[in-house]
Amino acid sequence: MIKRFNDGRDWFFEKRFGLFMHWGLYAVNGWHEQEQFRKRLNRAAYTPLIEQFNPVKFNPDQWLDAAESAGMQYVCFTAKHCDGFCLWDTKQTQYNIMNTPYRKDIFGMLAEACQRRGFPLCIYYSAPDMNCKYYPNRGRSYELPGPELNDEPDVEKYLEFVKAQVSELCTNYGKIHGFWWDVNANSINAHDESVNQLIRSLQPGIIINKRGFGEGDFDTPERDFDDAKLNGVQIYTKPTEACESIGAESWGYRTNEDYFSTGTLTRSLTKHLAKGGNYLLNVGPRADGTFPAEAVRILKKIGLWHQQVREAFEQVEPLPLAVDDGNVLLGRKGNTLYVYLLNAPRKSGITLKPLEIQPQKATLLNNGQELKAKVEIMPSMHAEHKAYLHIWDIPADELANEAVILKLEFDSFILDKMFNK
Ligand code: GLC
């Protein structure tokens, strides 16, 4: 079981599926949120985008409607990405939303909508900043190749700039629930505890990720890249929020994006929630302020599935037991076991080795259908000749594009005995 904080940060364990949004000048060209870095553009070649950013269709309620349609309960928004462009009315740099043709405080409008509708709001903030003259650009990741004319690289001054910005964000916009540093601050001064201390003093109960300065509160496995590191880890033992984008190539809006299938996304979501983590799924809004139609469609589709299966993610205790060679995870709530299939079903049945207990009822949560369940010896396991719980009648064809979750209801006695409670 993951240890709670026993303070305001515990909202994080109740609301576990959130919407991530990457938005900024890079939406204009619709290529990638790191356009400036990945195309090695100097400031003169990139910053004029500020003249073109005019999201006249921006309406935070529409974003939150889309989040709600997916079953999401909180949001995390890029106040500043590594290009350094700020989506709030910052006094620390001219390079901000008030100097675009739009001239409205987007972060403030989003914060107002989130607070009105009860959505916890988290701030994404990039530690590297390709625009600030104090940032020590040296050609590392998310940096310019080196300082530009009139820059004054100075880590201490940059930290003061960061603190001043963080203070604005944590003072002027009401309750902020989370702070999401990116990319890790190693290139600056990762051990400076005073930055997170400042955030915590301005926003008591805020939860801070571990990609920033000093100690953070939660881990952030990304895009399943970290799966290898997590090998053998059946369930999370520390607060964790996995993140993934609906598009395979970019987190910002991308015109030629390769969107993941809802089967892939719901299985990824299921895996991390079943392990006891949170899940942040990202959409990059278009330059006009709207979500791409494909994103709206995907979120709705996830939502229809989520409505059917959500009980499997609420107040469920993940069990550290590898079932079916680790292709299946288990969670327990009272007399019920939830069975999360991490892969698309290849057949209409599954043998949940090493489970050998007979449920009173087996249900396919995806559509409420009752399934057949019997502890029996499978012919393919003749060498071992042991009986395991076999579930069948699963409509595998129909479920190819959504994560499959089963609900098994038992005699409490059996589960208590099995899981030593
Ligand atoms: C990756 C991307 C970065 C993005 C982040 C979100 O690290 O490189 O641009 O903001 O994912 O987790």
Side-chain angles (χ1 to χ4, degrees):
M1 237 356 208
I2 298 170
K3 233 173 88 209
R4 304 273 146 147
F5 298 107
N6 289 322
D7 59 29
R9 290 172 286 184
D10 285 357
W11 70 267
F12 187 76
F13 301 109
E14 305 305 323
K15 306 204 171 191
R16 300 176 52 212
F17 180 24
L19 173 67
F20 207 177
M21 283 170 291
H22 277 62
W23 205 34
L25 300 184
Y26 42 81
V28 171
N29 292 330
W31 188 72
H32 191 276
E33 79 280 0
Q34 295 165 20
E35 177 177 357
Q36 187 177 11
F37 169 67
R38 293 198 179 192
K39 289 189 173 170
R40 310 295 188 268
L41 302 176
N42 62 21
R43 288 190 200 127
Y46 181 82
T47 56
L49 285 175
I50 195 168
E51 308 294 340
Q52 291 182 56
F53 193 65
N54 191 15
V56 288
K57 294 191 182 158
F58 169 61
N59 175 351
D61 279 297
Q62 276 173 8
W63 291 5
L64 298 183
D65 289 346
E68 235 163 40
S69 80
M72 294 161 160
Q73 295 170 300
Y74 66 101
V75 302
C76 182
F77 181 69
T78 49
K80 181 186 94 170
H81 207 267
C82 63
D83 61 4
F85 177 72
C86 301
L87 284 110
W88 77 101
D89 182 6
T90 176
K91 305 298 179 221
Q92 312 310 318
T93 169
Q94 298 290 311
Y95 197 44
N96 74 63
I97 188 66
M98 304 312 281
N99 294 314
T100 64
Y102 190 63
R103 285 181 191 280
K104 281 187 239 167
D105 187 331
I106 280 179
F107 182 75
M109 292 161 77
L110 177 64
E112 185 280 322
C114 286
Q115 283 147 16
R116 175 164 39 78
R117 292 175 61 163
F119 270 84
L121 171 63
C122 308
I123 293 171
Y124 169 109
Y125 184 98
S126 167
D129 184 324
M130 297 171 80
N131 196 259
C132 179
K133 66 176 181 178
Y134 301 127
Y135 182 81
N137 281 296
R138 285 196 345 229
R140 295 164 293 196
S141 291
Y142 320 108
E143 293 184 350
L144 294 170
E148 292 199 357
L149 198 65
N150 300 326
D151 278 358
E152 299 168 31
D154 182 326
V155 171
E156 289 314 312
K157 282 197 177 146
Y158 181 62
L159 276 175
E160 288 314 308
F161 170 85
V162 167
K163 285 185 183 173
Q165 289 209 315
V166 159
S167 299
E168 291 174 349
L169 287 166
C170 292
T171 308
N172 300 340
Y173 298 97
K175 173 89 180 149
I176 304 294
H177 284 75
F179 206 93
W180 216 98
W181 291 107
D182 204 23
V183 176
N184 80 54
N186 279 339
S187 51
I188 311 166
N189 191 355
H191 304 297
D192 190 329
E193 293 285 346
S194 65
V195 193
N196 281 354
Q197 274 165 14
L198 173 68
I199 296 176
R200 293 191 203 279
S201 73
L202 295 171
Q203 288 284 344
I206 196 167
I207 187 161
I208 304 178
N209 79 353
K210 290 192 186 174
R211 291 192 188 185
F213 301 85
E215 272 303 302
D217 302 315
F218 66 94
D219 292 321
T220 57
E222 176 179 314
R223 281 211 190 273
D224 293 343
F225 293 153
D226 298 347
D227 263 15
K229 269 195 265 165
L230 298 173
N231 257 351
V233 176
Q234 282 300 321
I235 60 174
Y236 294 127
T237 50
K238 292 196 219 128
T240 301
E241 181 197 62
C243 55
E244 176 60 285
S245 186
I246 58 167
E249 279 289 329
S250 177
W251 298 71
Y253 170 64
R254 173 166 171 74
T255 42
N256 304 342
E257 187 56 284
D258 301 337
Y259 290 97
F260 285 117
S261 69
T262 42
T264 302
L265 292 174
T266 54
R267 281 188 279 274
S268 165
L269 168 62
T270 295
K271 177 173 75 182
H272 293 289
L273 291 184
K275 288 175 171 211
N278 285 20
Y279 197 80
L280 205 48
L281 182 61
N282 176 79
V283 171
R286 293 153 45 107
D288 69 1
T290 60
F291 277 11
E294 188 59 1
V296 174
R297 186 191 69 80
I298 291 171
L299 292 182
K300 273 197 192 132
K301 204 151 176 234
I302 291 176
L304 292 174
W305 165 85
H306 188 256
Q307 267 170 27
Q308 296 293 323
V309 302
R310 67 182 313 152
E311 66 169 83
F313 301 128
E314 290 166 354
Q315 279 88 48
V316 172
E317 180 193 348
L319 295 175
L321 183 71
V323 173
D324 185 29
D325 295 326
N327 293 313
V328 167
L329 294 175
L330 292 184
R332 180 183 180 186
K333 176 157 58 186
N335 303 341
T336 299
L337 281 190
Y338 292 98
V339 179
Y340 311 92
L341 275 56
L342 300 185
N343 302 315
R346 289 187 299 120
K347 44 198 169 87
S348 62
I350 184 161
T351 307
L352 298 176
K353 180 182 173 179
L355 287 190
E356 40 181 352
I357 48 177
Q358 177 71 41
Q360 284 159 348
K361 192 173 175 196
T363 312
L364 174 62
L365 269 191
N366 300 59
N367 64 4
Q369 179 199 328
E370 189 159 344
L371 298 172
K372 305 264 177 29
K374 190 171 180 212
V375 177
E376 58 176 331
I377 297 176
M378 301 299 283
S380 58
M381 296 181 172
H382 64 95
E384 191 181 350
H385 211 68
K386 252 188 106 188
Y388 294 110
L389 176 55
H390 174 217
I391 313 269
W392 73 104
D393 243 6
I394 300 172
D397 277 351
E398 289 162 36
L399 297 169
N401 226 352
E402 56 190 272
V404 177
I405 304 179
L406 316 179
K407 177 181 183 180
L408 307 179
E409 290 163 87
F410 291 88
D411 220 305
S412 62
F413 171 72
I414 298 182
L415 289 188
D416 286 346
K417 201 167 127 193
M418 174 149 184
F419 297 105
N420 298 327
K421 284 249 164 138

